[in-house]
Amino acid sequence: MSFGWLLGRSASIVYTILVVSILVFGITQVLPADAAVTLLGENATPEALAAVRTRLGLDDPYWLQYLHWIGRVVVGDFGTSMRTGQPVGPEMFAALGRSLILAVSAILLMLVVAVPLGMAAALNQGRFADTATSLVSFVGIAFPEFVTATLLALVFADTLQWLPATGWVAPGESAGGFLSHLALPALTASVVLVAHVVRMVRSETLDVLHSDYIRAARLKGVPEGRVLVGHALRNALLPVVTIVALDVGYLLGGIIVIEEIFAIPGIGRQLMVAITARDLPSIQAGALIMAATYALTNTLADMAYTVLDKRIRYD
Amino acid sequence: MTPVLSVRDYTLDYLTGGAALRVLDGISLEVRPGEVLGLVGESGSGKSSLALAIMRHLPKNARETVGALRLGDLDLTAARPKELTRIRGRRIGMVFQDPSTSLNPTLTIGAQLTEVLRLHRGLDRAGAEAEALDLLGRVELNDPAAILKRYPHEISGGEKQRVVIAGAFGCRPEFLIFDEPTTALDVITGARILELFARLRAETGVAALYISHDLALVSRVADRVAVLKKGRLVEEASAADIFVRPKHPDTKALVDAVPRPERRLVGDRSSDEVLLSVERIEVTYGRKKLFRPAPKPSTRAVGFEVRRGEILGVVGESGSGKSSIARALTGLVDYTGAIRLDGRPIAGAAAMDRDYRRAVQIVFQHPDSSLNPRQRVGEILSRPLKLFGGDLAEIPKLLERVRLPAAYAERWPHQLSGGEKQRVAIARAFAARPALVVCDEITAPLDVSVQAQIIELLLDLRRHTGTAYLFITHDLNLVRQIAHRVAVMRRGELFDLLAVDELGGDHVHPYTRALIAASPIPVG
Amino acid sequence: MTDLVGRLLRTPQGAIGCTLILLLAVACVAGPWIAPKDPEAIDFLGRFRPIGAENWLGADQLGRDVFSRLLVGARSTVPMALAATLLGTVVGAVVGTTSAHLGGRLDEAIMRTIDAVMAVPGLLLALLLVGTLGNGSGNAVIAIAVAFAPGMARVTRSVALAVRNQEYVKAAVARGEGGAWIVFREMLPNVMAPVVIEATIRVAFAVMLFATLSFLGLGAQPPSPEWGLMVAEARQYVHQAPWVLIAPSLAIALTAIAFNLVGDGLRDALNPRHER
């Protein structure tokens, strides 16, 4: 990882955020909502509306409005929520923190399940365990989050009453409450990921097991267990880093639905509320923060990959 | 004296889709102590299956019907998995075709070498490291201590193969299998590996099975040679005899197909009239990227002439820039410098008009990718006829001229063999009635017998049409059989450009001399 | 082409997937006629009637027949997903091929921008667009298409680049063929196959995405029997009648599975070397 590589990656993150900001600003500016009406209500006088428009800069050309907005974003000011009147930034970042707890738990849960399962399937290629795993992952990938969430809530919350159906408890408040409230959302978020990653781990493991250097190790008289752990494991797991990073985009989308269903005050729910209320500053901030999170995750994954895989040096 | 390895009446089938495909049929052979047996065969002859059978590493669908495999007194077919891990690597060592894939990319050379020493020879960590250092020194690697710490991608292909050989000799096995150990390497690197093998063999007196498709090469490294064809052993003779007195017709055909520089296939002289001239041509791939240095040109100021009806051979290792020349001549990449056809200057790829493109045709290396899989042979051949003026009724005649049945016009590319595809590609080039055909390694992926047929076809077509060839290859012996003049390239530069009979002379470049020395000429 | 269908049906995934899709097609075309009951008929006496002879998959909170609503709802769900995928694929394929064809700096600029757009999760992009365009099935289709286009552009471009490096394309260039011939006759037929496979698998995601938008109240609007909407409406009655929720959930999953199976089967049928 040379200086040039880091510089290139930073430039690409900046470019990503620039493109996303234009995209988000462009889409939201076309929203058929008059910010002034949203603020003052339907019964406001035309004079009051005009005054608000001038104050908010709504009469300026779009590009000027964009520059004003992005200029403030650069210094960390995401504007004021039209719904609550509070600054958007702190609210969004607090929500992002809760979403990240959910996302990281889902990824950890997924790794614990998917990696051993995928490897077991590859090692038993063609046998029952392999077919069963493939079948389950095929089914798992076909359940959208809202279906999984509703069905899981039906079983574990409504019928068995083991876990709460909705809500969020901060980890500092009560560890037990935190975990029990986190369980169903994290499980929901991990289902599609598990299904996808199991298939990837299986095919990566098969590729490695069929490679020349594994054959060479076997033909050097290395015992099978040592071949798997010492030679195959690391090489099969390397590409999974990249796959998981790409899945984060899907995960973030899924989190919007999951937070809505389980009433978790994360960034996804903030966004849904903002979209419903046509609260422009909140929509813009939320979308931008989500995209930036994704871009950062991918860069981190690339860096992790370079550290783990000695073959690749970004120079 | 008991042989080190004995194979008796060994028969092997692969089950595919319910049917049994016979891969090896009643093979019997022996390798005596200190002896090297060469095993020669074309692709699909079953030679690699025999190696895997000896190593007891057959695919799941393999069925051994009859026969015995013995290592000394030990019956290999009866060995249990536990015993096998003690035999493999310790009593039988193996060296593989491609060193870049047979080393684990994420483990250091040291880790991979010491693992076997600790497993099989019970050395401790320090002892294994000391032994590994010694082994690397014996395979003539500079600075073994540094190499132990490196990863496979940090050393060259030749160095990797030396590491693999060091590992194979490491546990002092009684028997070694070499499976095409030089095929993936450049000619000169491969020759050095062979020298190393000869030295280690003399030092250790190990018995070995040396597998290769290259009869000339095997006859130089082996004491005896066994020829395998379609799973049957057709002939076994001493290495000295096999070229001089081949008995079986299949062996004779194989011997005849081996390119031998002294057996010229082209008798005429080319005219002195210049057809195409290339002056100071440079090709650069890619462009400067942000934060990175500008790419180097892959050819540097190369210049030569092709005369009317001449065969100009271009020889070089991978990365020598010989294919870049082919791409520049056919307008596939842009170039700086000058190309003249019949004296007419062509300023760049964009300036190549229909006349030029008709006159200069190209045949590519890979038969599988050079025909569009979604077009029938007839449609493929019709394009040059439509573009350059020709009658579609000529298609059957074109096929006939490359010795394919006219009915092949209705076939899809995937229904043809590799050699047949290459014939279609040649027919496509000749449909344009070219003055020059660029042949870019067109026989490299083919078996020698198919290669010989393609070469014969090319020479026959030249006799009838007077077409000149720019024949690009890594095989110096082949070029010496057919070319009027030979150009030798290395790292983008033209080192030599000589008439073929001057190659043995004194004023050739030292690199050319090394290349000649490294190209194995059949003994006898 | 018939050859391909034959090979597809010989793979187990292809055979099952095609059967499921055939059933879906029947439901989409003839749903209202083969439905045993009127999907809108309200029957207060039959509220939450369990699965049985009267209502094969039970009845919902208004006594409407769940099975009939599923059959009729197929045409508010599946064709929408197909349309969205088709639109997204066409737009993506055009952008991807053009980018690969242009090459150089332009190609790099286009791809960098597409990568940047893909940093916005698909669902979020769709939500933003529907939020702008207004709720409704048509707008949801457009939103999903826009969300899919960048991914399809990437896939098409990488396939097109691989095909462009094939020697038969180089042969055509060396021969001096025109750009149109090279793109349409040499490249496109070979680019199509992987793109079709990718698109088929994406139909599964489009079904899920469309149902999600409807579930969130942004896609199909009540009283449409769209499946995602049916799940949303059934949630509050889950204690009384879980089948009202389970039936459309499974319909969505089964549809997604069907398209995944066919995509997987197509991959095997088109690439016999990839046998495992």
Side-chain angles (χ1 to χ4, degrees):
Chain A
M1 268 180 285
S2 64
F3 177 68
W5 181 79
L6 281 174
L7 210 62
R9 284 309 302 226
S10 313
S12 128
I13 291 183
V14 170
Y15 184 66
T16 301
I17 292 173
L18 189 73
V19 169
V20 171
S21 66
I22 294 174
L23 188 73
V24 169
F25 192 82
I27 293 175
T28 46
Q29 281 306 307
V30 194
L31 271 178
D34 188 332
V37 179
T38 312
L39 270 180
L40 300 180
E42 302 283 346
N43 302 325
T45 60
E47 294 77 27
L49 286 174
V52 168
R53 282 198 193 102
T54 314
R55 184 164 60 83
L56 294 177
L58 294 178
D59 294 326
D60 292 339
Y62 286 143
W63 61 269
L64 196 60
Q65 291 188 42
Y66 171 76
L67 286 184
H68 281 309
W69 173 64
I70 199 73
R72 286 195 302 271
V73 166
V74 168
V75 295
D77 174 13
F78 285 92
T80 313
S81 166
M82 294 179 179
R83 196 170 49 85
T84 61
Q86 299 293 313
V88 173
E91 206 176 339
M92 277 292 166
F93 279 110
L96 177 69
R98 291 185 277 269
S99 294
L100 285 182
I101 292 177
L102 173 55
V104 170
S105 333
I107 289 175
L108 288 179
L109 189 62
M110 175 273 282
L111 288 176
V112 169
V113 179
V115 171
L117 218 56
M119 298 198 116
L123 289 175
N124 293 291
Q125 189 196 357
R127 294 200 214 120
F128 175 75
D130 180 27
T131 320
T133 312
S134 296
L135 217 63
V136 170
S137 66
F138 232 116
V139 173
I141 218 160
F143 278 83
E145 283 75 13
F146 76 94
V147 171
T148 317
T150 333
L151 293 181
L152 284 177
L154 172 63
V155 175
F156 291 103
D158 295 319
T159 313
L160 297 173
Q161 307 218 318
W162 289 355
L163 294 164
T166 55
W168 176 262
V169 175
E173 254 172 79
S174 135
F178 166 68
L179 287 177
S180 67
H181 281 87
L182 185 63
L184 284 183
L187 193 60
T188 307
S190 66
V191 166
V192 171
L193 295 189
V194 167
H196 183 228
V197 173
V198 160
R199 299 180 66 175
M200 289 302 178
V201 170
R202 176 183 178 274
S203 87
E204 293 295 343
T205 309
L206 278 180
D207 277 350
V208 170
L209 287 179
H210 289 161
S211 70
D212 283 359
Y213 57 85
I214 291 299
R215 192 186 62 172
R218 285 179 174 146
L219 295 187
K220 280 192 296 194
V222 179
E224 191 61 21
R226 220 188 132 88
V227 168
L228 295 181
V229 178
H231 291 255
L233 188 68
R234 182 192 177 99
N235 298 331
L237 288 186
L238 271 175
V240 176
V241 176
T242 317
I243 294 162
V244 171
L246 290 174
D247 275 354
V248 168
Y250 186 85
L251 179 65
L252 289 175
I255 272 181
I256 301 178
V257 183
I258 292 169
E259 289 179 352
E260 177 73 12
I261 293 176
F262 290 108
I264 295 171
I267 194 166
R269 189 165 160 83
Q270 290 286 347
L271 261 166
M272 273 310 292
V273 172
I275 288 173
T276 320
R278 300 188 184 283
D279 178 2
L280 292 189
S282 298
I283 297 176
Q284 290 163 344
L288 200 58
I289 291 171
M290 253 199 179
T293 309
Y294 177 66
L296 263 172
T297 313
N298 268 292
T299 305
L300 287 177
D302 278 358
M303 287 164 81
Y305 197 93
T306 21
V307 172
L308 292 172
D309 191 343
K310 302 289 187 297
R311 276 167 296 181
I312 301 172
R313 275 172 303 172
Y314 293 101
D315 45 19
Chain B
M1 202 163 37
T2 36
V4 178
L5 178 87
S6 82
V7 179
R8 281 272 158 274
D9 203 24
Y10 185 75
T11 300
L12 179 72
D13 291 341
Y14 285 158
L15 304 180
T16 45
L21 180 76
R22 185 134 299 183
V23 188
L24 292 170
D25 194 353
I27 303 288
S28 293
L29 49 82
E30 283 184 353
V31 183
R32 293 184 278 267
E35 181 187 50
V36 175
L37 176 69
L39 187 63
V40 181
E42 304 200 319
S43 50
S45 62
K47 54 190 194 301
S48 292
S49 296
L50 184 60
L52 292 178
I54 295 168
M55 295 305 289
R56 311 309 300 151
H57 194 68
L58 289 165
K60 282 193 188 114
N61 63 341
R63 293 289 172 276
E64 300 173 291
T65 45
V66 288
L69 299 168
R70 304 185 75 84
L71 179 72
D73 294 327
L74 181 89
D75 181 1
L76 284 172
T77 51
R80 294 156 191 280
K82 257 234 161 84
E83 284 174 78
L84 283 174
T85 57
R86 286 197 301 267
I87 296 167
R88 292 173 181 160
R90 175 189 278 180
R91 295 187 60 189
I92 312 180
M94 185 156 179
V95 176
F96 306 90
Q97 175 168 352
D98 190 349
S100 61
T101 59
S102 60
L103 289 172
N104 191 327
T106 58
L107 295 177
T108 59
I109 302 294
Q112 300 188 53
L113 262 183
T114 52
E115 177 178 37
V116 189
L117 296 172
R118 295 172 72 178
L119 274 171
H120 292 318
R121 287 175 56 186
L123 297 173
D124 62 2
R125 195 191 164 94
E129 260 171 37
E131 181 67 24
L133 274 178
D134 182 48
L135 282 169
L136 289 183
R138 281 172 59 201
V139 294
E140 297 157 16
L141 280 168
N142 294 328
D143 200 358
I147 291 207
L148 279 184
K149 292 199 191 74
R150 295 208 182 127
Y151 287 89
H153 70 273
E154 294 171 318
I155 60 177
S156 74
E159 287 171 329
K160 274 181 232 171
Q161 197 61 305
R162 281 167 195 268
V163 167
V164 174
I165 290 173
F169 275 94
C171 296
R172 302 179 195 126
E174 57 206 88
F175 183 62
L176 279 172
I177 298 178
F178 285 79
D179 188 1
E180 306 246 14
T182 63
T183 309
L185 304 173
D186 278 328
V187 180
I188 293 178
T189 316
R192 302 256 158 80
I193 293 288
L194 288 179
E195 285 165 18
L196 172 71
F197 169 61
R199 214 203 68 221
L200 288 173
R201 192 196 150 194
E203 281 173 23
T204 59
V206 71
L209 184 69
Y210 194 104
I211 298 172
S212 176
H213 67 283
D214 187 340
L215 189 55
L217 186 149
V218 164
S219 70
R220 287 162 71 95
V221 297
D223 303 311
R224 283 185 304 128
V225 177
V227 178
L228 210 55
K229 176 148 184 166
K230 288 182 184 152
R232 286 171 174 278
L233 203 61
V234 295
E235 185 165 352
E236 202 184 325
S238 78
D241 279 352
I242 199 112
F243 265 97
V244 192
R245 287 178 288 277
K247 292 194 194 77
H248 196 278
D250 284 335
T251 318
K252 262 191 199 111
L254 207 57
V255 167
D256 286 341
V258 172
R260 315 171 90 163
E262 76 277 9
R263 197 189 295 154
R264 289 280 295 168
L265 298 175
V266 175
D268 59 4
R269 298 172 58 88
S270 67
S271 76
D272 289 336
E273 189 192 340
V274 172
L275 171 69
L276 180 101
S277 79
V278 172
E279 288 152 32
R280 297 192 59 79
I281 207 167
E282 288 199 0
V283 174
T284 307
Y285 295 102
R287 57 195 161 73
K288 197 194 164 323
K289 281 190 176 166
L290 217 55
F291 313 123
R292 298 200 185 142
K296 289 195 184 109
S298 57
T299 66
R300 262 169 275 168
V302 172
F304 57 87
E305 288 171 349
V306 185
R307 295 163 194 164
R308 200 167 286 283
E310 181 189 36
I311 302 181
L312 175 64
V314 181
V315 188
E317 301 183 333
S318 50
S320 63
K322 55 193 196 302
S323 286
S324 299
I325 299 286
R327 290 189 201 126
L329 284 181
T330 48
L332 293 174
V333 290
D334 218 341
Y335 57 86
T336 60
I339 292 178
R340 278 170 208 277
L341 180 72
D342 285 323
R344 192 162 59 91
I346 308 289
M352 290 180 180
D353 54 10
R354 182 143 297 180
D355 273 347
Y356 179 89
R357 294 203 181 263
R358 185 195 64 73
V360 180
Q361 291 287 310
I362 182 163
V363 180
F364 293 99
Q365 175 175 5
H366 305 107
D368 292 330
S369 112
S370 69
L371 305 181
N372 190 330
R374 313 253 162 200
Q375 292 176 2
R376 289 175 197 270
V377 170
E379 189 181 358
I380 291 169
L381 295 180
S382 72
R383 283 315 292 177
L385 294 174
K386 279 182 188 153
L387 274 176
F388 303 124
D391 191 349
L392 291 190
E394 279 178 49
I395 290 175
K397 222 167 25 180
L398 273 171
L399 284 168
E400 200 180 302
R401 270 169 61 190
V402 295
R403 295 171 206 163
L404 289 174
Y408 269 42
E410 289 305 307
R411 294 216 177 173
W412 296 100
H414 70 260
Q415 297 170 310
L416 309 181
S417 73
E420 287 170 339
K421 282 180 204 161
Q422 212 56 308
R423 282 163 196 272
V424 173
I426 291 169
R428 176 173 63 191
F430 274 87
R433 290 181 312 267
L436 171 69
V437 175
V438 179
C439 303
D440 189 3
E441 292 267 21
I442 65 168
T443 61
L446 304 175
D447 280 326
V448 255
S449 56
V450 183
Q451 163 174 300
Q453 290 163 13
I454 295 284
I455 294 295
E456 199 216 322
L457 172 69
L458 283 178
L459 299 181
D460 185 54
L461 287 167
R462 174 175 168 272
R463 261 193 301 280
H464 288 104
T465 59
T467 308
Y469 293 127
L470 188 76
F471 197 89
I472 297 171
T473 179
H474 64 279
D475 187 342
L476 187 61
N477 289 342
L478 178 61
V479 156
R480 291 173 78 184
Q481 272 192 301
I482 60 172
H484 295 103
R485 289 185 303 149
V486 179
V488 180
M489 288 190 70
R490 190 184 192 202
R491 292 185 192 148
E493 284 176 63
L494 189 65
F495 273 32
D496 256 333
L497 179 55
L498 314 152
V500 71
D501 47 14
E502 294 169 24
L503 272 176
D506 297 331
H507 55 282
V508 299
H509 193 280
Y511 174 72
T512 309
R513 208 170 295 147
L515 210 55
I516 295 172
S519 305
I521 298 168
V523 286
Chain C
M1 197 59 210
T2 47
D3 180 40
L4 176 66
V5 174
R7 265 187 291 165
L8 174 63
L9 290 176
R10 266 196 296 281
T11 63
Q13 319 94 298
I16 302 171
C18 285
T19 315
L20 286 173
I21 288 181
L22 195 71
L23 291 177
L24 278 174
V26 170
C28 288
V29 174
W33 291 282
I34 53 175
K37 303 208 164 181
D38 178 356
E40 306 299 335
I42 294 170
D43 172 9
F44 280 105
L45 291 177
R47 287 183 75 199
F48 303 126
R49 188 182 285 139
I51 293 171
E54 184 70 19
N55 300 102
W56 296 352
L57 290 178
D60 68 3
Q61 69 278 8
L62 297 175
R64 295 174 297 192
D65 182 44
V66 172
F67 180 63
S68 301
R69 284 177 68 73
L70 276 187
L71 273 182
V72 176
R75 57 163 70 175
S76 348
T77 311
V78 182
M80 299 298 161
L82 278 173
T85 313
L86 195 67
L87 196 61
T89 303
V90 169
V91 173
V94 170
V95 173
T97 320
T98 313
S99 184
H101 192 70
L102 291 172
R105 279 170 213 277
L106 264 170
D107 176 43
E108 196 171 328
I110 294 174
M111 281 305 132
R112 284 288 159 103
T113 308
I114 281 178
D115 280 348
V117 173
M118 283 171 78
V120 184
L123 181 63
L124 176 56
L125 190 54
L127 282 176
L128 290 177
L129 283 165
V130 176
T132 302
L133 300 168
N135 303 344
S137 291
N139 290 338
V141 166
I142 294 172
I144 295 172
V146 172
F148 275 11
M152 288 311 296
R154 260 216 158 285
V155 171
T156 318
R157 171 179 172 272
S158 72
V159 177
L161 281 184
V163 169
R164 199 177 63 172
N165 278 327
Q166 294 289 306
E167 287 173 350
Y168 56 82
V169 178
K170 289 186 184 161
V173 175
R175 203 158 62 220
E177 295 275 12
W181 173 275
I182 290 171
V183 170
F184 288 106
R185 299 304 302 274
E186 301 283 351
M187 288 177 63
L188 205 59
N190 293 293
V191 173
M192 284 297 282
V195 172
V196 166
I197 293 170
E198 179 71 22
T200 311
I201 291 172
R202 273 179 194 245
V203 176
F205 282 96
V207 169
M208 289 159 62
L209 206 50
F210 185 76
T212 302
L213 287 177
S214 298
F215 175 85
L216 294 173
L218 300 169
Q221 299 297 313
S224 163
E226 199 282 331
W227 297 343
L229 194 59
M230 284 174 73
V231 176
E233 289 177 349
R235 276 182 74 214
Q236 46 183 312
Y237 308 106
V238 71
H239 300 284
Q240 295 104 309
W243 55 86
V244 187
L245 183 137
I246 293 171
S249 301
L250 291 185
I252 294 164
L254 218 56
T255 310
I257 289 172
F259 282 100
N260 269 322
L261 283 171
V262 171
D264 211 54
L266 270 178
R267 193 179 326 203
D268 279 4
L270 284 167
N271 190 3
R273 277 168 299 163
H274 211 75
E275 269 175 34
R276 269 209 178 135

